[in-house]
Amino acid sequence: MPNKQRLNSSDFLWPENTINGATKVYGLLAHPAQHSLSPLLHNQGFAANQINAVYLAFDSGGHDGAALTTSLRTLDLAGCNLSLPDKETVLPFLDELTPDARLIGAVNTVKNNNGYLIGSNTDGRGFVQGLVTAGIDLHNSRVVLLGAGAAARAILVALAQAETQQLQVFQRRTSVHFVQLQQLLDALGQAVITARDWSELAQVDWQQVDLVINATNLGFGDHQGASPLALSQLQQLPTTASVWDVIYQPRQSELLRLAQSCGLATHNGLAMLLYQADLAFQIWTGQHLPLRQLQNYLKIK
């Protein structure tokens, strides 16, 4: 696991100056937060760009959106990232949303301009950057997206903007996320995207699918060891197809393990983590993370 490896001083950059009174503070608001790789990514970015700032992880468990945004203003955090459920609960208490964030109904990045909080969403664009970097031709890809939560909706919007050839999105019709999905599709107005009930996975012609994306929590946390697709479904995919997961803890979800056993190309959520972080870093600083060093460290294909 990358966070257990010995750091190579020739590949990583560390700030020469100590933290002082002028140091800006950024952070992750999540529950739990201790496992996150975000502090490593952003602190490398500050060091590489000689920015006097530090990024910390804050456990937000038990606090509502009003309390979190009040804390941002009171403590004068320069910016933050958010995980669920905070991506959605802070929305009513932000001063401004970017068009994508408003469309998705969730933010993962907040910039604090002297108490004026601007919410953005870099998840979907970060995920698509990972696809493009891996050589996926979205213009000619027929995609199955599993889930319609905040991460899935962000990915859906980014795939639509990338003019993906065909996109089928699966979510249980009884879920509130299905309603959000339908509202999003109405706003996008793209005929190549269809919303389908989870039960309709049995009707998919898997031989006509090029890319599978799991944006559910099946394979993570209490659901570790579960897979949204059965081995028999994955076996029907063409050998040129690839299977992606937003999960990176564990590094290989059960879905990816099954897909790999079928000889399919697999990718975990580390690429999304890195590229969405780079986009957030640009929002805050106008600079990039040291992507080459971090790609090597995270072993992103």
Side-chain angles (χ1 to χ4, degrees), residues 51 63 89 100 114 126:
I51 297 171
H63 298 288
T89 61
D100 279 1
N114 297 316

Side-chain angles (χ1 to χ4, degrees), residues 214 216-221 223-228 245 247 249-250 253-254:
N214 177 39
T216 74
N217 63 354
L218 292 175
F220 173 74
H223 302 284
Q224 188 168 326
S227 171
D245 207 322
I247 295 168
Q249 294 281 10
S253 64
E254 179 64 9

Side-chain angles (χ1 to χ4, degrees), residues 29-300:
L29 303 181
H31 179 70
Q34 292 80 5
H35 71 285
S36 176
L37 293 175
S38 293
L40 175 115
L41 303 181
H42 289 290
N43 286 318
Q44 284 294 302
F46 295 139
N49 291 282
Q50 298 182 329
I51 297 171
N52 186 7
V54 65
Y55 186 105
L56 304 171
F58 301 94
D59 195 308
S60 62
H63 298 288
D64 60 21
L68 294 178
T69 50
T70 297
S71 297
L72 287 175
R73 293 185 175 97
T74 302
L75 297 175
D76 196 26
L77 266 66
C80 74
N81 293 126
L82 300 156
S83 71
L84 286 172
D86 304 326
K87 291 180 180 182
E88 297 174 329
T89 61
V90 301
L91 286 183
F93 308 101
L94 299 175
D95 300 298
E96 182 180 336
L97 295 175
T98 62
D100 279 1
R102 188 176 300 280
L103 191 61
I104 295 162
V107 301
N108 76 327
T109 302
V110 175
K111 183 175 182 179
N112 184 356
N113 284 341
N114 297 316
Y116 187 85
L117 304 182
I118 305 170
S120 307
N121 197 310
T122 66
D123 279 336
R125 288 179 291 141
F127 191 90
V128 165
Q129 181 59 50
L131 294 173
V132 172
T133 301
I136 303 293
D137 178 9
L138 291 171
H139 290 285
N140 295 302
S141 289
R142 297 158 297 182
V143 182
V144 165
L145 174 61
L146 304 173
R153 297 195 304 274
I155 293 170
L156 187 160
V157 169
L159 289 173
Q161 292 170 345
E163 299 180 342
T164 300
Q165 178 182 337
Q166 182 188 72
L167 176 59
Q168 299 179 75
V169 189
F170 290 85
Q171 174 66 46
R172 287 182 175 81
R173 198 175 297 273
T174 54
S175 169
V176 65
H177 291 317
F178 195 87
V179 176
Q180 293 173 308
L181 172 61
Q182 289 181 311
Q183 293 172 340
L184 177 55
L185 295 189
D186 288 342
L188 290 172
Q190 293 201 17
V192 297
I193 307 176
T194 55
R196 305 183 66 179
D197 183 68
W198 197 264
S199 63
E200 296 179 65
L201 278 170
Q203 303 169 16
V204 173
D205 182 357
W206 295 102
Q207 295 180 351
Q208 300 301 314
V209 173
D210 304 299
L211 173 63
V212 174
I213 302 168
N214 177 39
T216 74
N217 63 354
L218 292 175
F220 173 74
D222 293 339
H223 302 284
Q224 188 168 326
S227 171
L229 297 181
L231 178 62
S232 59
Q233 293 168 312
L234 293 166
Q235 288 173 330
Q236 298 176 53
L237 288 166
T239 57
T240 53
S242 60
V243 179
W244 290 63
D245 207 322
V246 300
I247 295 168
Y248 68 88
Q249 294 281 10
R251 296 294 186 263
Q252 186 181 56
S253 64
E254 179 64 9
L255 172 67
L256 297 189
R257 187 190 70 80
L258 293 174
Q260 190 174 63
S261 75
C262 299
L264 299 169
T266 61
H267 299 260
N268 61 27
L270 285 174
M272 176 183 180
L273 174 72
L274 176 59
Y275 298 124
Q276 66 79 23
D278 183 53
L279 291 166
F281 195 80
Q282 291 178 57
I283 289 171
W284 294 329
T285 70
Q287 305 298 322
H288 286 277
L289 296 176
L291 289 176
R292 185 178 299 277
Q293 292 97 324
L294 292 171
Q295 285 167 340
N296 292 337
Y297 179 62
L298 297 174
K299 298 182 178 178
I300 293 175

